[in-house]
Amino acid sequence: MAVVLNIASEFNNKGIRQATSQFKGLQDAGKRAGSALKSAIIPATAAVAALGAVLVSAVKGAMQDEVAQQELARVLKVTTKATDAQVAAVEDWITTQGEVLGITDDELRPAYAGLLRATNSVTKAQKLSAIAFDLAAAKGKPLAAVTKAIEQALGGNMTALAKLAPEYRDMIKNGAGFEEVMKRVAEATGGAAANAADTTAGKMKRLKIRFDELKETIGYALLPVLDQMLSAILDDVVPAFESMGSSIGDFIKSVKKDGFDKAVSDTFNRAVEYLKTEALPTIGKA
């Protein structure tokens, strides 16, 4: 006897459609979340990178400024026997010139140091610097070129000064001395540096100098941290890795002497001990 079961029925795909729709919604939500996450991460990464660049620039600026300060302090002490307080006073004066006249310390320190060497006097160097500021502004010449010409004139060679300011050439040719020429220059160009600093270009330069000084201040705050890191790396980390290098040489010698198996076993034991007692604590400390 044959039994026939009617198992055919109408196919209902409603559940599948619902599941597909839910998966698609989940997929779309994942894409939106990924897009939102990407939109958040990219600016955040850029911001971190920008901050890192600013901090690196700040530290670099502070390091360069520190070297320049130390060199000027050395010149001050050698030429004028200046005390630390006098050196600090000169640095304050240099900072003021940047704020008021828009002259960077990178320009001023070497120019001022040259005049110090030529005069052996802080007072005379600052007086001649003030004349140099005005003459440079009036002639549109670099401060370094002007102070160099004044240095040479102090030594009796007026040629560079005459080329820089031809209107004084006849005066120099007729035998006028350094002091007389400088007096005439000061009278003719006095106030030129201040006037230049009050122009739009001068104000922009002064603003940039103030920002650069702020960056250097931040950089100086970070220098002790950098110094500690470098000391730790030089004193602890580098010797630790150098020790690892010598261990490789010992392994090669051990292979030649005792065979590969024993050399591997001994080296593994030493490596474990080294990591436990030296490398990891040293790197962790650094």
Side-chain angles (χ1 to χ4, degrees):
M1 177 179 175
V3 178
V4 178
L5 297 177
N6 185 6
I7 61 174
S9 64
E10 182 182 356
F11 175 69
N12 187 343
N13 64 356
K14 180 179 179 182
I16 294 176
R17 288 200 309 273
Q18 287 177 342
T20 301
S21 177
Q22 289 173 353
F23 276 119
K24 188 176 185 302
L26 182 62
Q27 186 180 39
D28 291 342
K31 287 181 179 178
R32 288 194 298 272
S35 178
L37 186 61
K38 183 179 179 181
S39 298
I41 287 175
I42 290 176
T45 303
V48 171
L51 177 60
V54 169
L55 293 179
V56 168
S57 176
V59 171
K60 184 179 178 181
M63 290 169 64
Q64 292 172 341
D65 193 67
E66 184 181 42
V67 171
Q69 282 192 27
Q70 289 176 353
E71 174 56 19
L72 180 57
R74 185 192 67 79
V75 174
L76 277 163
K77 290 178 179 179
V78 168
T79 58
T80 68
K81 310 300 181 187
T83 63
D84 289 342
Q86 289 170 325
V87 170
V90 169
E91 284 294 336
D92 289 341
W93 175 77
I94 288 173
T95 300
T96 300
Q97 306 317 304
E99 294 176 356
V100 175
L101 299 178
I103 301 171
T104 67
D105 50 19
D106 291 339
E107 295 175 281
L108 183 47
R109 283 198 186 99
Y112 180 70
L115 292 173
L116 272 174
R117 284 188 287 264
T119 61
N120 295 319
S121 167
V122 169
T123 303
K124 290 180 180 178
Q126 289 189 1
K127 181 179 178 180
L128 290 174
S129 293
I131 297 174
F133 299 158
D134 287 329
L135 183 56
K139 294 293 182 179
K141 299 292 184 181
L143 180 62
V146 174
T147 53
K148 181 59 69 175
I150 293 175
E151 284 178 50
Q152 292 175 355
L154 271 166
N157 182 358
M158 298 278 199
T159 303
L161 188 58
K163 288 181 179 178
L164 191 66
E167 60 268 35
Y168 305 109
R169 186 172 293 161
D170 289 341
M171 183 181 177
I172 293 169
K173 187 177 179 180
N174 292 330
F178 177 79
E179 294 294 337
E180 186 180 354
V181 174
M182 285 296 102
K183 182 180 178 181
R184 288 284 297 276
V185 171
E187 290 172 353
T189 63
N195 289 339
D198 202 38
T199 63
T200 302
K203 289 176 181 177
M204 288 295 293
K205 188 174 182 182
R206 286 160 57 196
L207 181 62
K208 182 180 183 302
I209 289 172
R210 297 292 288 272
F211 275 119
D212 287 343
E213 290 293 333
L214 177 61
K215 280 172 57 180
E216 286 175 4
T217 300
I218 296 170
Y220 272 109
L222 294 174
L223 283 182
V225 179
L226 179 63
D227 184 64
Q228 287 183 344
M229 278 183 55
L230 292 174
S231 296
I233 291 170
L234 289 171
D235 296 340
D236 298 324
V237 177
V238 171
F241 280 100
E242 288 174 344
S243 176
M244 288 179 66
S246 64
S247 296
I248 294 173
D250 293 340
F251 172 73
I252 295 172
K253 292 178 182 178
S254 182
V255 169
K256 292 179 180 179
K257 180 182 177 182
D258 302 321
F260 183 77
D261 291 345
K262 188 175 187 307
V264 169
S265 176
D266 291 344
T267 300
F268 178 78
N269 291 333
R270 284 198 302 270
V272 170
E273 186 65 21
Y274 168 76
L275 286 171
K276 183 174 68 175
T277 61
E278 292 186 46
L280 294 179
T282 296
I283 295 172
K285 177 184 174 184

